[in-house]
Amino acid sequence: MADSSVSIVEGDMKPKFYGMVAGLVGALWLASVVFAGSLAAPELDVPKDKAKNQVLTTVLKWKPVAGAKGYRVFVTGNLETLKNLAPKAACTDCFVDAKADAPTYQIPPKLLKKDIPYYWTVRAFNDAEEGPSAEIRSYTMASTFFMDMD
């Protein structure tokens, strides 16, 4: 009789245990499917934060993001603009709100002005989503240039 009560308890526990394992495996699989495509924030490379004496056609560079189809580059003179920029929203206060295929972007000539700080960030995107912004960095242009001569 003692053996039958043990086997009944074991029999009752097996379905619960296997059900919990199956539920856990299912939850892990679902999490991997949902989050596998999520894009990371790019890691900015150059110019370094608070860099000085940058040229008007500064080249912005960052590390590639896995799963990214391209990148969205933002440059503005107003730090709050980038802090408050909603995902996928147009940046109306930006000098640059452009897409780049590679993890680099050259500022077009004569777009920016000397002697003011600029703030920049980048977001990766693919067909399904736009990822979070990279940390915001700033840089300042050199005070004199020779490239203004036509």
Side-chain angles (χ1 to χ4, degrees), residues 27-135:
L28 291 173
W29 176 82
L30 181 60
S32 69
V33 169
V34 170
F35 295 109
S38 295
L39 296 170
E43 183 181 335
L44 304 182
D45 195 9
V46 291
K48 299 295 182 197
D49 194 27
K50 299 179 181 134
K52 297 187 185 313
N53 298 319
Q54 300 297 300
V55 296
L56 287 174
T57 55
T58 295
V59 176
L60 308 175
K61 295 181 183 179
W62 55 92
K63 300 205 180 336
V65 172
K69 179 179 178 182
Y71 303 91
R72 199 157 160 215
V73 181
F74 304 96
V75 180
T76 183
N78 183 347
L79 176 61
E80 294 304 311
T81 296
L82 295 183
K83 284 183 176 180
N84 298 318
L85 187 61
K88 296 187 179 182
C91 185
T92 57
D93 193 31
C94 286
F95 296 103
V96 174
D97 178 349
K99 291 184 176 179
D101 294 333
T104 184
Y105 181 83
Q106 183 171 6
I107 303 294
K110 299 185 180 185
L111 185 63
L112 305 181
K113 296 177 176 34
K114 301 177 253 184
D115 297 326
I116 67 168
Y118 289 98
Y119 302 92
W120 70 289
T121 190
V122 176
R123 292 179 181 165
F125 68 86
N126 59 26
D127 292 329
E129 65 179 321
E130 183 174 279
S133 294
E135 65 179 309

